[in-house]
Amino acid sequence: MQYSIVQSVKIVDMNDEIMSEVLFHHGEHELLALAVGSSVITYQLGLRQFEVVYDKREGKQQRVKIVDIETDLMASPAATRVYLESVTLIIGQHDVGQIY
């Protein structure tokens, strides 16, 4: 089954004031059946200025739980979106720099 995997990301400053909230798209994946409470392993998320990006440095993997699975029956064909646990990134602490 084709799944679109997304994760809510809150970007805050050092005073815990919300700068923005985005829905990070992990991509479209062909997977077997998934269930709420299952976990996926992916790269940790980081910031490059104000853009949410994968932190692909060595050892920067994370295990994230699936919190919701949504199927849009109004779309043709039906679209299934998987929501991962939300994460908060702090400007200045989660910067990954330039990765080439």
Side-chain angles (χ1 to χ4, degrees), residues 34-97:
L34 296 176
V36 173
S38 299
S39 296
V40 297
I41 297 173
T42 184
Y43 289 109
Q44 284 183 1
L45 299 180
L47 294 170
R48 185 173 300 133
Q49 296 178 341
F50 289 98
E51 180 185 1
V52 179
V53 296
Y54 284 125
D55 187 348
K56 294 186 176 183
R57 295 177 291 183
E58 187 175 333
K60 296 291 184 173
Q61 296 178 354
Q62 66 177 352
R63 183 177 172 186
V64 188
K65 284 194 182 240
I66 296 171
V67 294
D68 194 18
I69 299 174
E70 170 187 90
T71 302
D72 183 356
L73 298 177
M74 295 176 67
S76 182
T80 302
R81 183 180 276 185
V82 175
Y83 290 89
L84 302 180
E85 280 180 316
S86 62
V87 65
T88 300
L89 299 177
I90 303 170
I91 295 173
Q93 290 187 1
H94 292 100
D95 292 328
V96 299

